[in-house]
């Protein structure tokens, strides 16, 4: 009796010498401009090629501006980094979706939409949000640049078998409660280090009921709980999403693949190292108030008092967070004025996320003094959204409709907060300065972000829909 | 396994403390410094936003701006050090600044891997050793700490020794200066066999 995590692991072990990490085979390696240049330099120094360019896919996302594509990249350092990736991909024979290409996008958005991300695969990328691909029942995790070099060189990684954690969410999420709210509730429950050393399997009725894009949002945030990977067992929702995607199997190969994928499910009675249970029906829209993703509360709750923390270190961390965020303990977050709203990222930059936001924007205006940016996760998401007229909803409301990229989630590309500004953001990290030095981030769902944009303050989206 | 890197066995040096839990990699090296295409020079921006204010003026109170931090080789920190992004620029920046070991309560998974691959020792200490050490070094920055990877011990400023756990394979690689990528490439036959079987 094995878990899905064990099954995928066992199927990819090349060798498992005693006392040493296993050599794990990697099916798909995603590459972007920020964490790869030093790895390619390493290959050149060793005078070796990329072992499997056919299992390697590159794109640009982190450093590129989200301004119109006919404009050059104004930041010379970023331009050099982007050019370096394109040159490396040419030299080593790796397909690269460059800036302005129809298949460009955030690396964790384009893998699924092309059908590259499939159940049972091992997937890595030099980016901690690689866990996103776990939504398909793949074992997907972030790696550092030395490991990027190792995978480019050998298509393998040295890894110890991870511990397993099953998080079972019973019931159904209520109206206006999304996968983002569930992810924040889980992190608030187990803590930002709660999943360290583990791979998470998300299970239970509330998870089964999520769409593929919502499952991607949930798995994406696994790293914010410390887990390198999180996954959901594949089912009909998975297969319906994958069928007909460009890189998905077709014809007889499809039928055989689905049979194989169904067998990945965790066996009854399989043992997990740890189990956590939540009631999905009891959850509200969530929002962060502090400087890590675990500092999250229901949107209508009050800011916790540092004095309520048991450990002195936690008390200090809360005091510091409230000081940084400019918040007062014991007061509601609802009504807190907002300067910027960011809707996008590998967490919440897919078409259904934009639909959720558009449902709030429709027939309303962005509040005076608020800057609202909507950044599609990929060129395909942009085309899909425009085909549905979502761009017109955003523009009519007074929001910006920009070109795809990581944008203000990581604030490397010029899209950033000014010191002291408050942003409700659909991204994944509210660390100090994450969205610009001195910037203050409130993480929330697309609906909650849109509600903040049209009211100019932290607001409960359920009152607007 | 062939030795191609500088072996790491034992060293000692001044320690400084940042007594905070959950120090994330965005603090260690903010994202705007990740546009570089080399590993070099990142130490100048280690903890950039804690070291300097928005105008670029050094914050006098921050430990890395104090004279005791000059020549520091050991950083003492709280729990879950290095959480967040997978950027290897974090250990690159710490090493470039001069650190050779981080002594913490615990580490985030990706950071730990990245640190080991750069000869930066992520040493998780038991709570009864860790707590007093953070308190001691916070009050006495520059206190000397020794690290012995051969014996898997640290020598605390008061002269006591404490044992630590480290992944056996990673330790062997560090002690012998093994290049892990070379080790994996030497298994080409097994990798090719695995591919042929599928």
């Amino acid at each position: 009796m094995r878990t899905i995590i064990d099954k995928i692991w066992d199927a990819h072990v090349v060798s498992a010498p005693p006392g040493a990490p296993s050599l794990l085979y990697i099916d798909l390696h995603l590459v972007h401009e920020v964490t790869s240049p030093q790895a390619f330099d390493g290959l050149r120094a060793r005078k070796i090629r990329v072992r499997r360019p056919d299992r390697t896919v590159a794109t640009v996302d982190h450093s590129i501006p989200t301004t119109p594509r006919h404009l050059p990249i104004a930041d010379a350092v970023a331009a050099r980094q982007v050019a370096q990736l394109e040159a490396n991909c040419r030299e080593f024979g790796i397909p690269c979706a460059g800036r302005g290409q129809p298949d460009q996008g955030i690396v964790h958005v384009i893998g699924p939409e092309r059908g590259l991300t499939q159940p049972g695969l091992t997937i890595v990328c030099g980016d901690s949000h690689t866990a996103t691909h776990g939504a398909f029942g793949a074992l997907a995790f972030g790696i550092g640049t030395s490991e990027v070099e190792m995978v480019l060189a050998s298509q393998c990684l040295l890894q110890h078998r991870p511990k397993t954690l099953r998080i079972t969410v019973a019931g159904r999420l209520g109206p206006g409660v999304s996968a983002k709210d569930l992810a924040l509730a889980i992190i608030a429950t187990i803590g930002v280090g709660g999943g360290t050393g583990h791979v998470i399997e998300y299970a239970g009725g509330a998870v089964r009921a999520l769409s593929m894009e919502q499952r991607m949002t949930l798995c994406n945030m696994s790293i914010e709980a410390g887990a390198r990977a999180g996954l959901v067992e594949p089912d009909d929702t998975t297969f319906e999403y994958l069928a007909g995607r460009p890189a998905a199997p077709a014809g007889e190969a499809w039928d055989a693949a689905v049979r194989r994928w169904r067998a990945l499910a965790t066996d009854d009675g399989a043992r997990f190292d740890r189990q956590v249970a939540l009631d999905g029906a009891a959850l509200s829209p969530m929002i962060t108030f502090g400087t890590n993703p675990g500092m999250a509360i229901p949107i209508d709750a009050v800011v916790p008092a540092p004095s309520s923390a048991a450990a002195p270190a936690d008390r200090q961390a809360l005091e510091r967070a409230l000081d940084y965020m400019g918040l007062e303990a014991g007061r509601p977050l609802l009504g807190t004025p907002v300067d910027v709203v960011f809707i996008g990222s590998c967490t919440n930059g897919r078409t259904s996320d934009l639909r959720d936001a558009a449902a709030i924007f429709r027939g309303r205006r962005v509040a005076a003094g608020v800057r609202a940016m909507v950044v599609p996760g990929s060129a395909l998401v942009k085309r899909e959204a425009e085909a549905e007229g979502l761009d017109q909803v955003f523009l009519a409301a007074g929001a910006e409709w920009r070109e795809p990229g990581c944008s203000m989630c990581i604030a490397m590309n010029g899209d950033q907060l000014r010191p002291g500004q408050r942003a409700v953001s659909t991204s994944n990290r509210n660390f100090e300065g994450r969205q610009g030095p001195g910037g203050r981030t409130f993480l929330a769902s697309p609906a909650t972000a849109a509600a903040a944009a049209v009211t100019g303050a932290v607001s409960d989206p359920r009152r607007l829909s | 396994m062939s030795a191609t890197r500088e072996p790491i066995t034992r060293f000692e040096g001044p320690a400084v403390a940042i007594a905070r839990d959950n120090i994330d990699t965005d603090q260690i090296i903010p994202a705007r410094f990740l546009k570089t295409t080399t590993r070099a020079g990142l130490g100048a921006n280690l903890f950039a936003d804690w070291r300097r204010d928005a105008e670029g003026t050094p914050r006098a109170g921050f430990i890395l701006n104090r004279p005791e931090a000059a020549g520091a080789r050991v950083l003492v920190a709280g729990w879950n050090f290095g959480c967040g992004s997978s950027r290897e620029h974090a250990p690159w920046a710490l090493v470039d600044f001069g650190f050779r070991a981080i002594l913490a309560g615990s580490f985030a998974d990706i950071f730990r891997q990245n640190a080991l691959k750069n000869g930066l020792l992520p040493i998780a200490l038991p709570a009864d050793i860790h707590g007093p050490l953070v308190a001691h070094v916070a009050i006495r920055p520059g206190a000397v700490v020794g690290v012995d990877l051969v014996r898997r011990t640290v020598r605390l400023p008061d002269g006591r020794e404490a044992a630590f756990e480290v992944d056996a394979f990673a330790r062997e690689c560090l002690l012998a200066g093994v290049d892990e990528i070379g080790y994996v490439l030497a298994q080409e036959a097994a990798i090719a066999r695995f591919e042929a079987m599928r």
Side-chain angles (χ1 to χ4, degrees):
Chain A
M1 286 175 297
R2 295 183 299 163
T3 70
I4 180 173
I5 300 159
D6 299 321
K7 290 180 189 184
I8 301 173
W9 177 274
D10 293 343
H12 289 84
V13 173
V14 174
S15 68
S22 297
L23 193 59
L24 193 73
Y25 194 77
I26 302 303
D27 294 312
L28 176 64
H29 185 190
L30 302 166
V31 173
H32 64 84
E33 74 275 24
V34 175
T35 56
S36 67
Q38 299 86 351
F40 284 110
D41 283 347
L43 297 186
R44 277 187 284 268
R46 291 171 194 276
K47 299 187 169 57
I48 54 175
R49 305 291 300 169
V50 171
R51 191 169 195 287
R52 294 296 300 266
D54 58 321
R55 292 187 176 276
T56 312
V57 172
T59 193
V60 290
D61 53 8
H62 285 65
S63 292
I64 57 166
T66 53
T67 46
R69 291 299 192 229
H70 65 272
L71 300 172
I73 301 179
D75 178 342
V77 186
R80 207 154 47 232
Q81 189 177 56
V82 168
Q84 179 86 60
L85 178 75
E86 289 168 354
N88 284 333
C89 288
R90 275 195 303 276
E91 180 182 344
F92 289 96
I94 295 169
C96 178
R99 185 164 172 263
Q101 298 297 309
D103 50 356
Q104 179 268 336
I106 303 175
V107 70
H108 309 309
V109 177
I110 66 170
E113 72 186 15
R114 285 192 209 171
L116 290 165
T117 302
Q118 295 172 16
L121 299 186
T122 48
I123 302 175
V124 298
C125 174
D127 188 285
S128 63
H129 293 109
T130 308
T132 311
H133 306 268
F136 293 78
L139 182 61
F141 50 91
I143 56 178
T145 297
S146 294
E147 292 178 314
V148 169
E149 183 181 341
M150 184 178 284
V151 178
L152 289 173
S154 69
Q155 204 58 34
C156 291
L157 267 183
L158 290 170
Q159 291 288 304
H160 290 285
R161 182 185 281 269
K163 287 187 275 190
T164 54
L165 163 61
R166 178 153 62 185
I167 298 181
T168 305
V169 189
R172 288 281 183 283
L173 301 182
V177 182
S178 72
K180 179 62 159 291
D181 303 305
L182 174 57
L184 289 172
I186 288 171
I187 302 161
T189 303
I190 70 172
V192 290
T196 303
H198 293 76
V199 170
I200 300 173
E201 181 184 356
Y202 298 100
V207 173
R208 295 257 71 83
L210 297 177
S211 70
M212 277 319 291
E213 296 194 347
Q214 290 183 312
R215 292 179 190 184
M216 288 185 236
T217 300
L218 176 63
C219 291
N220 172 278
M221 297 283 284
S222 301
I223 186 65
E224 310 314 335
R228 279 178 87 175
L231 50 71
V232 176
E233 80 178 31
D235 58 12
D236 289 340
T237 302
T238 321
F239 309 143
E240 276 162 32
Y241 177 96
L242 265 172
R245 303 255 164 197
E252 280 177 33
W254 170 261
D255 297 333
V258 169
R259 275 195 301 278
R260 213 168 54 241
W261 294 340
R262 285 198 195 280
L264 287 167
T266 292
D267 299 326
D268 287 340
R271 206 191 125 275
F272 285 81
D273 292 300
R274 234 178 107 203
Q275 302 240 29
V276 171
L278 268 81
D279 177 10
L283 299 179
S284 305
M286 299 286 289
I287 189 163
T288 61
F289 63 89
T291 51
N292 72 47
M295 294 180 179
I297 52 175
I299 190 142
D300 50 3
V302 298
V303 176
S307 57
S308 67
D314 294 342
R315 202 148 54 230
Q316 282 166 18
L318 273 175
E319 276 167 7
R320 188 182 159 85
L322 297 192
D323 179 54
Y324 182 87
M325 296 296 291
L327 294 173
E328 232 178 283
R331 297 182 46 116
L333 271 187
L334 286 173
T336 305
V338 165
D339 304 295
V340 175
V341 166
F342 172 68
I343 295 168
S345 86
C346 61
T347 309
N348 280 128
R350 283 167 281 265
T351 310
S352 61
D353 298 312
L354 303 187
R355 274 185 213 122
D356 285 355
I360 302 280
F361 278 116
R362 195 167 279 119
R364 296 190 174 94
R365 295 279 308 166
V366 173
V370 174
R371 179 188 186 194
M373 303 169 65
V374 186
V375 181
S378 71
L380 178 62
V381 168
K382 184 162 189 269
R383 290 195 297 277
E384 283 179 358
E386 289 176 352
E388 291 181 23
L390 302 182
D391 59 323
Q392 294 308 313
V393 175
F394 300 132
L395 291 168
E400 299 171 29
W401 176 241
R402 300 178 72 96
E403 293 295 324
C406 299
S407 185
M408 201 188 274
C409 172
I410 188 163
M412 284 184 70
N413 72 334
D415 299 342
Q416 65 181 72
L417 300 177
R418 291 196 303 273
Q421 279 191 322
R422 292 194 169 114
V424 177
S425 176
T426 68
S427 53
N428 40 59
R429 289 187 174 134
N430 53 342
F431 298 147
E432 288 180 26
R434 168 78 178 187
Q435 297 192 288
R440 296 157 165 171
T441 300
F442 297 78
L443 300 176
S445 71
T448 301
V454 298
T455 59
V458 173
S459 300
D460 189 333
R462 293 173 298 188
R463 296 204 197 143
L464 294 176
S465 45
Chain B
M1 293 195 277
S2 62
T4 53
R5 305 174 74 108
E6 187 79 10
I8 293 171
T9 51
R10 50 179 73 84
F11 55 87
E12 63 167 36
V16 292
I18 303 178
R20 285 181 209 160
D21 295 339
N22 304 313
I23 293 176
D24 60 81
T25 52
D26 275 275
Q27 308 315 313
I28 298 170
I29 182 82
R32 61 187 182 279
F33 302 111
L34 308 188
K35 285 177 265 189
T36 177
T37 53
T38 72
R39 289 175 167 83
L42 287 159
N45 293 309
L46 176 69
F47 291 111
D49 293 335
W50 287 356
R51 271 160 89 184
R52 295 183 290 269
D53 65 18
E55 283 73 48
T57 311
R59 299 179 202 267
F62 185 60
I63 182 64
L64 295 193
N65 291 329
R66 289 171 50 179
E68 297 94 326
R73 301 181 88 183
V74 174
L75 178 62
V76 178
W79 291 77
N80 196 31
F81 185 87
C83 60
S85 147
S86 65
R87 61 190 70 169
E88 198 161 316
H89 308 67
W92 294 338
L94 287 158
V95 169
D96 191 51
F97 188 88
F99 289 117
R100 300 189 59 184
I102 313 292
L103 273 50
S106 63
F107 291 89
D109 291 334
I110 305 178
F111 177 85
R112 182 201 279 109
Q113 286 305 319
N114 286 342
L116 286 168
K117 287 177 167 47
N118 289 279
L120 176 68
L121 297 183
I123 298 175
L125 293 171
D128 61 326
I129 302 288
H130 173 247
L133 177 67
V134 173
H136 181 97
V137 178
I139 297 166
R140 294 181 190 77
V144 172
V145 169
V147 174
D148 187 334
L149 185 60
V150 183
R151 295 172 54 234
R152 279 167 290 196
T153 56
V154 291
R155 202 183 60 256
L156 303 169
D158 64 5
R160 282 186 307 149
E161 282 201 345
F164 65 85
E165 308 245 340
V166 57
D167 174 61
F169 178 82
R171 173 174 168 271
E172 203 181 314
C173 288
L174 290 165
L175 288 175
V178 169
D179 162 34
E180 288 188 15
I181 293 176
Y183 164 81
V184 168
L185 286 173
Q187 302 189 47
E188 165 60 29
I191 300 170
R193 236 182 354 259
F194 179 88
E195 285 179 327
M197 253 168 42
R198 307 177 85 207

